[in-house]
Amino acid sequence: MAVFSIKSFGGIAPVVPPRYLQDNQAQTAMNCPVFQGSIQAIADLGASVADLPKTGTIKSLYRFGQDTISDTNYWFHWTTDVDVARSQIAGDASEWTFFTGDGSPKATYNSIAISGSNYPAATRPLGLAAPTTAPTATADTFTGEDGVLETRVYAVTWVNKESGFEFESAPSSASNSVDVRPGQTATLTNLPAAPGGDYVVSHRRIYRAVAGIFLFVAEIAASATSYTDNVEPDSLGEELPSLTWSAPPTSLEGLTNLPNGLMAGFSGRDIYFCDPYHPHAWPEQYIQTIDYPVVGLGRMDTTLAVLTKGTPYFIQGTHPLNMSVVKADIEQACVSKNSIVSLMGGVLYAAPDGLMLISPGGSRIVTENLFDFSQWQAFFNPSSIHAYQHDNQYIAFYNNGAQSGGFIFDVRSGQFILHDMYADAGYHDILRDKLFLAVADSGNKVKPWGYGNTKSYIWRSKKFSLPQVMGFSCAQLEAEAYPMTLKFYLDNTLYHTQTVQNRNPFRLPAKVGRDLEMQVEGSNEVFSLSIANSMTELARG
């Protein structure tokens, strides 16, 4: 006598032979989230909310206008791998936004970003390079009384004041020294010419130093060709703030926001940090260098996760000057930058051996009991994986050369299922609590995840191995709605297909065998599945 009853359904674990799977695990779980215990149907992508005018494969997506609830405006998109960070500028009413991956690091804001439809429409370089020439200082003719000579040098910075934000460059080289008596003026000439190209410079700032500390003298128009300094020593302003500032390197990648006004990025093996609340300033003394090339960055609280072609690292601290670098407790390289997702206090990413979860509290391969190395590599081609977080789930897409599709890993339950949708890029909108995807569908379009029609799913049970040849006479399927399709296999052969119309038990044709498998197909929620030798056993469950 035998009865098999499944009342809580699980995902797949291909590394386990079908007969050794747990009773609720699946050989196949396609389009059927089982994260609540029942079999549910995934919803297809919703209707298009926006067209993306750029041609080619869209690789990066971002919704600008984050303070406004909207599905349609404004979709920044790129055909390159771009990372975006919103400003942490006090009083920013222009939504200054910064990004890397589209050439050199760039900045934009609402008045210039959303002209037309091909967003972002216009940008600024993120940061200003220091002037490359020094001014010339000359003591002016003086007819007053002699006094104690003051030996001065001057420096000049570029400034761009635009839409509520100030970019200031590092200073030029110091001018020649000049001796000035009390009451005497000095004139600066040969002021460095403003940079051209995409750079915007609205002002110059003049600083002078007497004892090695540069203090603010004046701010003048960028078009000025000279300046006469008549500021008394007691009237000098603040100390030069940008002495150690540098523009970010043109090769900066992986721009990531951190708390306390910080942004991080990387180039090669170097990790860069901006000066707190000065997103255009990236001092060289903040650089941290590790022993493997960096692939991408993730974040958890005040910790930066650095994923490399070797060992992962944690960089911890609240200010770039006191950052500490810690090696993770596991050696697993990151094979896809776009697989990196910060989720539930940890960071998930695709590694050669499986899906990795790292956190300061411990790291592990979360799929080690689901896939072995060869299965993971062959089925998903992990270097192709790009993923996004939504509802505490890791929603991924892959292309293994033979087929494209996706999978979902539910962090809370540890269950893993497949889905048959594919997208080129995505963006998780926190304000809308939606995942939006860029899809090459009759032109590039933006579609929301999970807002379309319910998809059909397939869930196939483990292989129940019987101690002897026997048959089953009846079965029962508890579902939210009907009809549903059930398929029964004995000894690897389909022997019966049943269209289930209601929750009542039904009879099965006579057939004996040793290995039983059951497959559920449909789109309605399923709560339990039972098969037995008799109606009495079926009732006992």
Side-chain angles (χ1 to χ4, degrees):
M1 311 297 284
V3 58
F4 295 112
S5 183
I6 305 172
K7 297 182 178 180
S8 178
F9 298 86
I12 61 172
V15 72
V16 181
R19 67 178 64 239
Y20 295 137
L21 289 170
Q22 297 178 21
D23 285 355
N24 69 331
Q25 286 183 307
Q27 295 184 68
T28 301
M30 175 64 73
N31 293 336
C32 55
V34 292
F35 312 132
Q36 307 298 325
S38 61
I39 303 178
Q40 300 179 32
I42 202 170
D44 205 346
L45 304 184
S48 172
V49 298
D51 292 326
L52 304 176
K54 288 186 174 72
T55 57
T57 301
I58 302 301
K59 295 184 178 179
S60 303
L61 189 67
Y62 176 84
R63 191 178 75 80
F64 185 81
Q66 291 194 2
D67 295 335
T68 302
I69 296 177
S70 174
D71 288 358
T72 59
N73 293 328
Y74 298 93
W75 287 106
F76 287 9
H77 58 289
W78 298 268
T79 57
T80 56
D81 179 16
V82 169
D83 294 284
V84 187
R86 184 175 178 176
S87 82
Q88 300 181 66
I89 303 168
D92 176 19
S94 301
E95 197 172 345
W96 276 93
T97 300
F98 315 111
F99 57 93
T100 57
D102 183 32
S104 59
K106 293 180 173 61
T108 192
Y109 60 94
N110 52 17
S111 296
I112 65 172
I114 55 177
S115 173
S117 61
N118 193 349
Y119 310 130
T123 63
R124 302 283 185 259
L126 176 56
L128 287 168
T132 57
T133 60
T136 300
T138 305
D140 296 328
T141 301
F142 181 67
T143 59
E145 297 180 1
D146 290 340
V148 178
L149 288 173
E150 180 182 81
T151 301
R152 304 174 181 174
V153 294
Y154 289 86
V156 178
T157 65
W158 301 129
V159 178
N160 181 32
K161 292 184 175 183
E162 187 172 6
S163 196
F165 179 42
E166 291 186 4
F167 293 76
E168 184 171 11
S169 73
S172 67
S173 299
S175 71
N176 58 293
S177 62
V178 60
D179 293 330
V180 179
R181 294 181 176 88
Q184 187 178 14
T185 61
T187 296
L188 297 182
T189 56
N190 296 322
L191 296 179
D198 293 332
Y199 289 97
V200 175
V201 173
S202 59
H203 298 81
R204 291 185 179 94
R205 285 181 182 158
I206 310 296
Y207 294 86
R208 86 179 185 218
V210 173
I213 298 176
F214 283 98
L215 299 178
F216 176 75
V217 177
E219 182 176 273
I220 62 176
S223 58
T225 58
S226 64
Y227 172 76
T228 298
D229 175 17
N230 60 3
V231 178
E232 295 296 327
D234 291 344
S235 299
L236 293 173
E238 66 177 355
E239 184 177 340
L240 171 64
S242 62
L243 184 63
T244 62
W245 291 359
S246 299
T250 58
S251 58
L252 192 74
E253 300 179 68
L255 197 65
T256 301
N257 257 347
L258 293 169
N260 304 307
L262 295 181
M263 292 194 302
F266 68 91
S267 178
R269 296 187 296 118
D270 299 328
I271 298 95
Y272 291 77
F273 296 91
C274 76
D275 195 67
Y277 302 103
H278 297 111
H280 61 291
W282 297 74
E284 292 183 1
Q285 66 265 37
Y286 294 169
I287 297 172
Q288 299 280 358
T289 302
I290 56 177
D291 54 356
Y292 291 100
V294 180
V295 175
L297 305 175
R299 63 184 179 273
M300 51 198 104
D301 53 65
T302 58
T303 300
L304 181 71
V306 181
L307 294 316
T308 77
K309 293 183 178 181
T311 305
Y313 287 81
F314 301 114
I315 300 182
Q316 301 164 326
T318 57
H319 191 281
L321 284 176
N322 59 24
M323 293 289 187
S324 59
V325 181
V326 180
K327 271 191 176 185
D329 56 346
I330 194 167
E331 293 187 351
Q332 282 287 324
C334 178
V335 296
S336 170
K337 174 179 176 292
N338 291 321
S339 72
I340 300 170
V341 173
S342 301
L343 178 62
M344 293 185 68
V347 173
L348 288 154
Y349 67 92
D353 291 335
L355 187 62
M356 272 294 306
L357 170 65
I358 65 169
S359 72
S363 305
R364 60 192 176 94
I365 303 174
V366 295
T367 56
E368 64 182 344
N369 296 322
L370 306 179
F371 298 90
D372 62 24
F373 174 84
S374 59
Q375 291 169 331
W376 175 255
Q377 290 284 333
F379 201 91
F380 298 113
N381 181 20
S383 64
S384 74
I385 293 174
H386 58 100
Y388 314 90
Q389 75 98 356
H390 181 58
D391 290 341
N392 293 321
Q393 293 169 354
Y394 183 90
I395 299 175
F397 302 87
Y398 68 90
N399 186 331
N400 63 17
Q403 64 180 11
S404 59
F407 64 83
I408 304 173
F409 177 75
D410 185 74
V411 177
R412 291 164 297 190
S413 67
Q415 301 291 346
F416 190 107
I417 68 156
L418 303 174
H419 64 79
D420 61 6
M421 292 172 278
Y422 188 75
D424 298 304
Y427 172 74
H428 180 245
D429 191 324
I430 297 175
L431 184 62
R432 301 291 289 122
D433 191 24
K434 285 183 177 182
L435 172 61
F436 292 94
L437 299 166
V439 181
D441 180 7
S442 301
N444 292 317
K445 299 184 182 298
V446 178
K447 295 186 175 184
W449 169 269
Y451 280 78
N453 295 327
T454 301
K455 294 179 71 68
S456 295
Y457 62 74
I458 298 175
W459 187 92
R460 185 163 180 162
S461 75
K462 67 171 288 185
K463 182 176 289 187
F464 293 95
S465 186
L466 308 172
Q468 59 188 15
V469 173
M470 64 177 63
F472 293 87
S473 66
C474 52
Q476 185 177 20
L477 181 74
E478 294 272 358
E480 180 66 30
Y482 301 89
M484 294 291 296
T485 299
L486 268 179
K487 293 182 178 180
F488 298 88
Y489 296 80
L490 277 174
D491 298 337
N492 303 314
T493 302
L494 175 66
Y495 84 94
H496 181 63
T497 298
Q498 178 79 25
T499 300
V500 183
Q501 299 289 356
N502 52 50
R503 65 190 302 179
N504 298 329
F506 54 88
R507 293 288 181 179
L508 295 173
K511 179 73 174 179
V512 296
R514 288 284 304 273
D515 295 319
L516 169 70
E517 299 161 82
M518 297 177 285
Q519 183 164 299
V520 185
E521 300 177 3
S523 58
N524 300 314
E525 186 173 7
V526 170
F527 305 107
S528 67
L529 170 62
S530 301
I531 188 170
N533 290 127
S534 68
M535 288 292 185
T536 301
E537 289 180 330
L538 194 65
R540 292 173 182 168

